[in-house]
C-alpha cells in the first residue's frame, strides 16, 4: 500500500497549497466560488491524509518491511497492539500524524465556525492550510514514511522498548495534537486581524479551540509524567528535560490565553493582549515541535531526534515574525471596548495570572536554551538543572495557586473591601487552619506548609462556592441537595467546569509538594532472602525468575512488603533486557495509596542472583494521577455546549412586528 | 508490477479524481443561475433589517440572562438602533418599503428602547446570572447582591 500512501500524501500537499492560495485570492478578488473551492480542497486534503494514515497502518499490520519506516520501527515479534505506537515512533510517522490531526481539526473548525466570523474565514482557512502545507512538504520531501528500501529485509529492527508502555498509546499523540491544535485559535486570531475584524468575533471559536489544545497538552504532560514514573526507573516523573519543557511552555501560554479570552468574551477587554498571548502560545508550540524534531539539546526523548531541526527553526522564525508584523499593522484597530475599572477585580486577577504564567514560561525557556547559549558564548556547555527551575519557578507557581483561589471569588469590574473580606474569609480560614494543623503535627518545612495552605485555600473557596450555590437553589426551588448541586454545575458550565479543573490542579500540587519535600529514597543490593527497611516498610527480597522471550530476556523480582510485622502485599518488579537495542526497560512495582506510593524498581540484575533495587516512598503522588481524569471531566463540562438558559421570571423581551412587509408599490 | 501496486495506484488515481471534482464543483455550482431578487418570496428582500431585529432580540435575551453589563448592552443596543434606522431609511429612499410600515417599525424601535432603559434585572457580580433587581441574593450561586442605590 506504499504507493497509495505516497500518492495520498502528495495529493494532500497539492490540495493544502491550493486551499492556501485559493482562500486568499478568492477573498481579495471577491470570488465566492474560489473561496468555496478552496474550502472544499481543505476538506479533501483531510480525506487524502486519512487515506495516507490508513495506508501506513496497513503497512505496519501486514509487516511490509519494504517500507523503510516500517522496517525501522517494527519487527515480526512486535504485538499488533503496538502498531499504533510504532506509527509515531519516528519522525516520518509523527509528522504524518501531526498533519492528519491538523487537517481534521481545521475541517471541523472551519465547518463549525460562527456565522459572524464568515467574512474573516477565508484568511483563517489560509493560515491553517499554510501550516498544513509546511508539514506536508517536510513530510513528503524530507521525511516520507512511504520511502522504500532497495531490498526487502526478512525482519525489521523492532520498536524502541521504552515505547512499549500503555502510556505511550496516549502521551505522544495527545502532546502532538495539543501542540498543533494551538494553530486553530491562532488561525482564528490571524484571520480576524487580516480581515480587519478586530472586535470579538473570533473569541468564541478561539476559546473553544484553546481549551481543546489545553486539555490535550495537559493530558499529554500528565501521561508523560506517568510514563516516566513507571518505566524510566528513576522514581521521579519530571526532569525538566528540554523536550518536557518544550511541551510545558506552550501549555503555560495557552493556559494564560484561555483565562484572558474569558475577559474579552465577558467585557470586551484585553483585545491586544489576547492576540499577543495566542502569538506567544503559537510561537512556543512551534518551538516545542522544533525541540522534538530538531534534537538540538540532549534529552531522554532522543529517539525523536533527527536532522530536520533547521527547517523547523526556519518555520519557527517565520511563525513568530509574520504574526507580530500583522499585529503591528492592525495595532491601531485593536482598542478594547472597556478599561480596567480596578485592580481589585476579576479581570485584574486574570491579568496578573497571565503575567505569572508567562514568567514561568520564559524562565523555563531560558533554562532550556541556556545550554545552547553557553555553547555559543564559551567553549563549555552549561546545563541548567532542577534546582534552578525549583528555586525560580517554585515561588511563581505558589503565587499562581494563590490567584487561582482569589480570582474566581472576586467580582467583575470592581470589588469592595467589605465584600472581598467577606468572600475571602472562609477560604483563608481553611488555608490557615490547614497550616496550623500540619505545623502542630510536626511539619516544619515552610515552603511545603505554604503550598499545603494555599491548596486548602483554593479547595475551601471552591467548596464554599458549591455549597453556597447549592443551598441557594435548594432554598429557592425546593430541589434536593444532589439535584441542586448538579443543576448548579449544569447552569453555568464554563464556570463550574473551570472549578473542577482548578481542583485537579490542586491535586497535581499535592503530588508535586509531597514528592519534592517528603520523598524517601534508598538504593540497595539484596541477595534472595535478604531484607531492608525504608520508611515504615520492611521489604524482603524472595528472588528473581529469568525468562527468555522472543526479543528480550525478562527478569521478574518478587518482594514481600511488611509494615509493623504484617504482610501488606507481595509485589513483582520487572526488568527486560533487549539485546538488539542493548537497552533495558524496567517496570516498577508500585504499591499505591492516596497517602503514599511504595516504589520498587530493579536497577540491575547481577550474575550471582543479587539485584540492585532503588526503593522510594513517594507521599501524595497518587493524587497527581487522579488529577488527569478529574481535569478531563472539568474540561468536558466547561466545553459542553450550553443552550440559553430560561430567563429568570422577568417580563419577556419585546417583539418587533413580523409578517409580510408591504411594498411601496 | 504486482497486483497490489496496481490496485494502490488505481485507488490513488481515484482519490485524485475525487479531489479534483470536489475542488471544481464550487465553480460549476456558481455558474448555475442564481435566484434573483424578483424570484424571492415576498418579505425576504429586507434580510438585513430582519437580521438586525434578530440581533436586537438576542442582545436583549443575553442581557436578561446577565451575560453582559448594562453599559455594554446599552451601547450595543444603540448601535443596532442606528443600523436599523439606517436600513429603514435606505429602504424608504429606494422606494422598496411602505412609508407607514417604516414609521411603525421606527416607533416600535423607540418604544423598545424605552422599555429596556428601565432595567428590570441586574447581573450577579459573582456568576453573572440575571437576577431580579429586588432580590437580596443570587438565586443561582447564592452571592449577596449589592444594595439598591
Amino acid at each position: 500500500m506504499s504507493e497509495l500512501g505516497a500518492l495520498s500524501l502528495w495529493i494532500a500537499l497539492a490540495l493544502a497549497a491550493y486551499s492556501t492560495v485559493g482562500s486568499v485570492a478568492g477573498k481579495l478578488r471577491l470570488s465566492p466560488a474560489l473561496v468555496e473551492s478552496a474550502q472544499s480542497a481543505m476538506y479533501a486534503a483531510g480525506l487524502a491524509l486519512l487515506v495516507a494514515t490508513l495506508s501506513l497502518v496497513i503497512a505496519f499490520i501486514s509487516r511490509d518491511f519494504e517500507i523503510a519506516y516500517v522496517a525501522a520501527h517494527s519487527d515480526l515479534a512486535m504485538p499488533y497492539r503496538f502498531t499504533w505506537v510504532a506509527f509515531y515512533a519516528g519522525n516520518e510517522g509523527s509528522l504524518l500524524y501531526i498533519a492528519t490531526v491538523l487537517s481534521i481539526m481545521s475541517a471541523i473548525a472551519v465547518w463549525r465556525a460562527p456565522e459572524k466570523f464568515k467574512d474573516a474565514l477565508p484568511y483563517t482557512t489560509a493560515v491553517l492550510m499554510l501550516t498544513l502545507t509546511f508539514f506536508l512538504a517536510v513530510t513528503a520531501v524530507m521525511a516520507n514514511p512511504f520511502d522504500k528500501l532497495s531490498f526487502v529485509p526478512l525482519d525489521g529492527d523492532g520498536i524502541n522498548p521504552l515505547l512499549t508502555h500503555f502510556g505511550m498509546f496516549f502521551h505522544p499523540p495527545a502532546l502532538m495534537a495539543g501542540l498543533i491544535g494551538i494553530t486553530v485559535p491562532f488561525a482564528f486570531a490571524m484571520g480576524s486581524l487580516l480581515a480587519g475584524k478586530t472586535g470579538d468575533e473570533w473569541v468564541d471559536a478561539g476559546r473553544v479551540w484553546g481549551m481543546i489544545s489545553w486539555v490535550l497538552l495537559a493530558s499529554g504532560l500528565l501521561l508523560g509524567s506517568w510514563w516516566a514514573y513507571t518505566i524510566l526507573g528513576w522514581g521521579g516523573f519530571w526532569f525538566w528535560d528540554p523536550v518536557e519543557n518544550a511541551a510545558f511552555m506552550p501549555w503555560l501560554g495557552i493556559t494564560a490565553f484561555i483565562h484572558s479570552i474569558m475577559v474579552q468574551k465577558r467585557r470586551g477587554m484585553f483585545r491586544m493582549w489576547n492576540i499577543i498571548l495566542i502569538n506567544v502560545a503559537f510561537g512556543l508550540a512551534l518551538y516545542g515541535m522544533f525541540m522534538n524534531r530538531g534534537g538540538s539539546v540532549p534529552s531522554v526523548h532522543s529517539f525523536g531526534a533527527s536532522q530536520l531541526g533547521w527547517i523547523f527553526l526556519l518555520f519557527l522564525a517565520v511563525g513568530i515574525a509574520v504574526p507580530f508584523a500583522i499585529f503591528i499593522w492592525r495595532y491601531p484597530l485593536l482598542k478594547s471596548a472597556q478599561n480596567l475599572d480596578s485592580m481589585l477585580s476579576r479581570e485584574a486577577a486574570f491579568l496578573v495570572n497571565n503575567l505569572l504564567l508567562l514568567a514561568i514560561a520564559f524562565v523555563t525557556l531560558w533554562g532550556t536554551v541556556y545550554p545552547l547559549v553557553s555553547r555559543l558564548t564559551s567553549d563549555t556547555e552549561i546545563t541548567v538543572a532542577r534546582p534552578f527551575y525549583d528555586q525560580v519557578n517554585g515561588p511563581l507557581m505558589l503565587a499562581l495557586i494563590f490567584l487561582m483561589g482569589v480570582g474566581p471569588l472576586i467580582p467583575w469590574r470592581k470589588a469592595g473591601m467589605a465584600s472581598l473580606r467577606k468572600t475571602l474569609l472562609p477560604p483563608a480560614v481553611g488555608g490557615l487552619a490547614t497550616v496550623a494543623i500540619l505545623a502542630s503535627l510536626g511539619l516544619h518545612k515552610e515552603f511545603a506548609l505554604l503550598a499545603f495552605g494555599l491548596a486548602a485555600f483554593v479547595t475551601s473557596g471552591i467548596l464554599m462556592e458549591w455549597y453556597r450555590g447549592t443551598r441557594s437553589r435548594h432554598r429557592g426551588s425546593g430541589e434536593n441537595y444532589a439535584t441542586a448541586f448538579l443543576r448548579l454545575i449544569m447552569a453555568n458550565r464554563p464556570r463550574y467546569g473551570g472549578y473542577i479543573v482548578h481542583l485537579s490542579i490542586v491535586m497535581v500540587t499535592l503530588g508535586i509538594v509531597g514528592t519534592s519535600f517528603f520523598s524517601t529514597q534508598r538504593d540497595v543490593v539484596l541477595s534472595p532472602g535478604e531484607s531492608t527497611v525504608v520508611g515504615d516498610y520492611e521489604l524482603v527480597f524472595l528472588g528473581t525468575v529469568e525468562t527468555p522471550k522472543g526479543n528480550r530476556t525478562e527478569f521478574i523480582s518478587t518482594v514481600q512488603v511488611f509494615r509493623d510485622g504484617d504482610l501488606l502485599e507481595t509485589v513483582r518488579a520487572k526488568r527486560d533486557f533487549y539485546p538488539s537495542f542493548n537497552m533495558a526497560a524496567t517496570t516498577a512495582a508500585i504499591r499505591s495509596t492516596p497517602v503514599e506510593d511504595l516504589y520498587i524498581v530493579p536497577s540491575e540484575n547481577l550474575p550471582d542472583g543479587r539485584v540492585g533495587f532503588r526503593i522510594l516512598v513517594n507521599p501524595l503522588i497518587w493524587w497527581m494521577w487522579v488529577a488527569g481524569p478529574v481535569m478531563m471531566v472539568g474540561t468536558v463540562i466547561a466545553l459542553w455546549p450550553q443552550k440559553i438558559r430560561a430567563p429568570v421570571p422577568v417580563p419577556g423581551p419585546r417583539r418587533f412586528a413580523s409578517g409580510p412587509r408591504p411594498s411601496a408599490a | 508490477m504486482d497486483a497490489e501496486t496496481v490496485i494502490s495506484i488505481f485507488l490513488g488515481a481515484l482519490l485524485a479524481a475525487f479531489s479534483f471534482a470536489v475542488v471544481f464543483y464550487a465553480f460549476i455550482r456558481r455558474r448555475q443561475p442564481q435566484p434573483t431578487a424578483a424570484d424571492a418570496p415576498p418579505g425576504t428582500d429586507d434580510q438585513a433589517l430582519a437580521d438586525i431585529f434578530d440581533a436586537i432580540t438576542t442582545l436583549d435575551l443575553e442581557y436578561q440572562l446577565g451575560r453582559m453589563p448594562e453599559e455594554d448592552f446599552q451601547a450595543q443596543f444603540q448601535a443596532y438602533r442606528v443600523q436599523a434606522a439606517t436600513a429603514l431609511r435606505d429602504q424608504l429612499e429606494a422606494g422598496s418599503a411602505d412609508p407607514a410600515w417604516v414609521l411603525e417599525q421606527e416607533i416600535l424601535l423607540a418604544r423598545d428602547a424605552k422599555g429596556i432603559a428601565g432595567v428590570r434585572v441586574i447581573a450577579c457580580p459573582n456568576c453573572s446570572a440575571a437576577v431580579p433587581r429586588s432580590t437580596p441574593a443570587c438565586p443561582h450561586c447564592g452571592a449577596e447582591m449589592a444594595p439598591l442605590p
Side-chain angles (χ1 to χ4, degrees):
Chain A
M1 301 296 279
S2 66
E3 289 81 7
L4 178 59
L7 270 171
S8 308
L9 199 58
W10 283 102
I11 290 168
L13 174 59
L15 287 165
Y18 169 77
S19 184
T20 308
V21 178
S23 296
V24 178
K27 178 71 184 167
L28 294 178
R29 294 180 58 193
L30 303 175
S31 165
L34 187 52
V35 168
E36 198 180 310
S37 166
Q39 204 165 307
S40 303
M42 180 191 66
Y43 296 130
L47 178 69
L49 279 170
L50 283 175
V51 172
T53 301
L54 196 63
S55 302
L56 191 57
V57 170
I58 291 171
F60 269 112
I61 291 171
S62 62
R63 304 289 192 257
D64 187 353
F65 296 130
E66 191 185 6
I67 298 177
Y69 185 71
V70 175
H73 297 287
S74 68
D75 59 10
L76 293 170
M78 184 183 84
Y80 282 111
R81 66 177 181 278
F82 287 118
T83 299
W84 176 236
V85 179
F87 185 95
Y88 46 74
N91 263 309
E92 294 85 341
S94 297
L95 288 170
L96 177 59
Y97 171 80
I98 287 170
T100 306
V101 169
L102 177 59
S103 69
I104 292 168
M105 283 184 170
S106 303
I108 296 172
V110 170
W111 172 48
R112 301 288 299 165
E115 192 63 26
K116 62 188 171 190
F117 195 76
K118 211 173 164 188
D119 276 355
L121 204 53
Y123 292 118
T124 297
T125 308
V127 173
L128 288 166
M129 288 300 102
L130 183 64
T131 312
L132 183 63
T133 303
F134 166 77
F135 278 96
L136 286 175
V138 173
T139 310
V141 178
M142 299 172 73
N144 196 320
F146 299 103
D147 280 350
K148 285 184 173 182
L149 294 169
S150 53
F151 63 100
V152 184
L154 292 174
D155 201 355
D157 296 341
I159 188 169
N160 186 320
L162 291 178
L163 301 180
T164 54
H165 181 272
F166 179 72
M168 280 292 123
F169 283 87
F170 307 102
H171 157 59
L175 271 188
M176 287 189 278
L179 285 174
I180 199 63
I182 293 177
T183 311
V184 181
F186 166 78
F188 274 100
M190 285 300 108
S192 181
L193 283 189
L194 287 166
K197 283 190 160 291
T198 48
D200 305 329
E201 296 85 354
W202 69 284
V203 166
D204 288 329
R207 174 185 161 266
V208 167
W209 285 99
M211 284 187 71
I212 290 171
S213 305
W214 181 89
V215 76
L216 285 168
L217 280 173
S219 315
L221 286 167
L222 275 175
L223 284 161
S225 300
W226 181 57
W227 167 77
Y229 184 61
T230 53
I231 202 170
L232 290 186
W234 54 282
F237 54 85
W238 189 263
F239 197 64
W240 294 105
D241 176 83
V243 173
E244 288 173 354
N245 293 349
F248 181 54
M249 290 181 286
W251 179 79
L252 291 167
I254 202 75
T255 307
F257 172 74
I258 58 175
H259 283 91
S260 182
I261 199 80
M262 282 306 292
V263 181
Q264 185 172 348
K265 184 176 163 65
R266 299 297 287 267
R267 304 241 22 236
M269 293 166 64
F270 296 175
R271 283 177 179 160
M272 269 185 242
W273 181 239
N274 284 328
I275 297 283
I276 292 173
L277 276 182
I278 196 63
N279 281 358
V280 167
F282 182 67
L284 289 171
L286 290 182
Y287 178 74
M289 284 185 267
F290 158 65
M291 290 296 286
N292 268 306
R293 304 292 141 221
S296 58
V297 180
S299 151
V300 295
H301 301 76
S302 52
F303 46 78
S306 75
Q307 302 305 313
L308 298 174
W310 69 271
I311 188 88
F312 276 89
L313 192 61
L314 191 67
F315 191 59
L316 169 65
V318 174
I320 291 172
V322 174
F324 273 96
I326 294 170
F327 168 73
I328 289 165
W329 172 43
R330 291 300 195 190
Y331 176 79
L333 300 176
L334 283 167
K335 192 177 178 320
S336 288
Q338 308 279 338
N339 291 320
L340 197 60
D341 292 312
S342 163
M343 280 310 287
L344 273 181
S345 62
R346 193 176 293 179
E347 43 273 52
F350 278 19
L351 184 64
V352 180
N353 142 305
N354 280 193
L355 295 174
L356 286 170
L357 284 163
L358 287 187
I360 298 170
F362 285 110
V363 166
T364 310
L365 180 65
W366 178 243
T368 309
V369 299
Y370 193 74
L372 295 177
V373 175
S374 68
R375 204 192 299 165
L376 289 173
T377 53
S378 66
D379 291 338
T380 51
E381 181 174 301
I382 301 167
T383 308
V384 177
R386 182 173 173 168
F388 164 77
Y389 295 105
D390 286 351
Q391 284 169 21
V392 184
N393 279 346
L396 292 173
M397 286 178 176
L398 283 184
L400 204 57
I401 293 166
F402 172 70
L403 274 178
M404 200 169 81
V406 173
L409 297 183
I410 58 177
W412 295 101
R413 288 180 171 277
K414 190 177 180 182
M417 283 308 288
S419 73
L420 202 61
R421 207 176 302 124
K422 194 172 176 185
T423 314
L424 292 181
L425 190 64
V429 168
L432 289 172
T434 304
V435 171
I437 291 167
L438 291 176
S440 68
L441 289 173
L443 196 149
H444 296 302
K445 292 181 178 173
E446 295 84 2
F447 203 80
L449 269 179
L450 183 60
F452 285 134
L454 287 172
F457 170 70
V458 176
T459 310
S460 309
I462 293 171
L463 294 180
M464 184 191 76
E465 281 281 281
W466 282 349
Y467 170 69
R468 204 168 60 171
T470 305
R471 190 187 56 182
S472 184
R473 291 187 74 98
H474 169 70
R475 285 182 180 168
S477 62
E479 293 164 350
N480 65 48
Y481 275 100
T483 310
F485 176 68
L486 286 176
R487 289 193 176 157
L488 175 79
I489 303 281
M490 290 301 126
N492 194 342
R493 289 167 200 169
R495 178 179 181 83
Y496 292 105
Y499 280 167
I500 294 171
V501 174
H502 282 185
L503 274 184
S504 76
I505 301 292
V506 170
M507 291 175 181
V508 173
T509 308
L510 292 181
I512 292 172
V513 175
T515 50
S516 301
F517 290 95
F518 305 103
S519 187
T520 311
Q521 180 181 319
R522 261 198 93 182
D523 292 304
V524 290
V525 177
L526 297 176
S527 299
E530 275 190 328
S531 65
T532 187
V533 175
V534 180
D536 297 339
Y537 299 98
E538 185 193 356
L539 310 172
V540 179
F541 170 47
L542 296 184
T544 300
V545 176
E546 180 181 336
T547 316
K549 297 274 181 173
N551 57 347
R552 66 190 188 277
T553 306
E554 210 173 71
F555 299 90
I556 297 183
S557 301
T558 305
V559 177
Q560 285 182 325
V561 182
F562 293 87
R563 187 161 57 193
D564 300 331
D566 297 329
L567 176 65
L568 293 178
E569 198 174 342
T570 302
V571 296
R572 286 173 180 81
K574 197 169 79 162
R575 187 165 180 275
D576 292 330
F577 181 70
Y578 292 80
S580 56
F581 286 87
N582 192 25
M583 180 192 283
T586 56
T587 306
I590 303 172
R591 185 177 184 277
S592 194
T593 68
V595 178
E596 63 189 16
D597 273 19
L598 173 66
Y599 179 100
I600 306 165
V601 65
S603 43
E604 193 163 5
N605 291 81
L606 299 170
D608 59 1
R610 289 185 301 152
V611 177
F613 285 104
R614 170 164 286 190
I615 303 160
L616 294 106
V617 177
N618 285 329
L620 301 176
I621 198 168
W622 181 87
W623 292 95
M624 188 143 171
W625 313 134
V626 175
V630 175
M631 189 182 285
M632 292 290 284
V633 169
T635 312
V636 168
I637 289 174
L639 278 175
W640 202 264
Q642 186 163 17
K643 287 180 183 169
I644 293 176
R645 287 175 295 183
V648 281
V650 289
R654 188 180 299 275
R655 298 285 174 192
F656 291 93
S658 57
R661 281 127 203 191
S663 78
Chain B
M1 204 181 282
D2 58 8
E4 193 187 314
T5 309
V6 173
I7 292 170
S8 286
I9 293 172
F10 172 72
L11 289 174
L14 212 60
L15 180 66
F18 175 74
S19 303
F20 190 79
V22 164
V23 166
F24 279 86
Y25 175 69
F27 296 107
I28 297 163
R29 204 177 62 162
R30 289 274 166 183
R31 278 188 192 159
Q32 288 169 357
Q34 301 291 314
T36 61
D39 300 329
T44 59
D45 56 336
D46 50 356
Q47 190 59 45
L49 193 61
D51 287 346
I52 297 168
F53 286 163
D54 286 346
I56 291 176
T57 308
T58 308
L59 182 77
D60 192 20
L61 278 171
E62 285 196 2
Y63 175 65
Q64 285 190 38
L65 288 172
R67 290 187 173 174
M68 61 169 58
E70 188 189 342
E71 289 83 353
D72 293 1
F73 166 74
Q74 291 292 358
Q76 190 62 52
F77 181 70
Q78 288 304 325
Y80 282 142
R81 282 191 66 208
V82 171
Q83 282 180 28
T86 310
L88 283 167
R89 192 63 53 197
D90 288 348
Q91 285 195 8
L92 197 60
E93 285 172 4
S96 61
D98 177 27
W101 180 79
V102 169
L103 184 65
E104 184 193 356
Q105 297 296 313
E106 285 182 339
I107 290 168
L108 282 169
L109 262 174
R111 274 187 192 164
D112 201 71
K114 196 176 172 187
I116 286 164
V119 180
R120 296 156 295 194
V121 290
I122 52 173
C124 165
N126 184 41
C127 71
S128 299
V131 182
R133 216 174 176 185
S134 56
T135 309
C138 171
H140 293 276
C141 73
E144 198 173 304
M145 304 298 292
L148 288 171

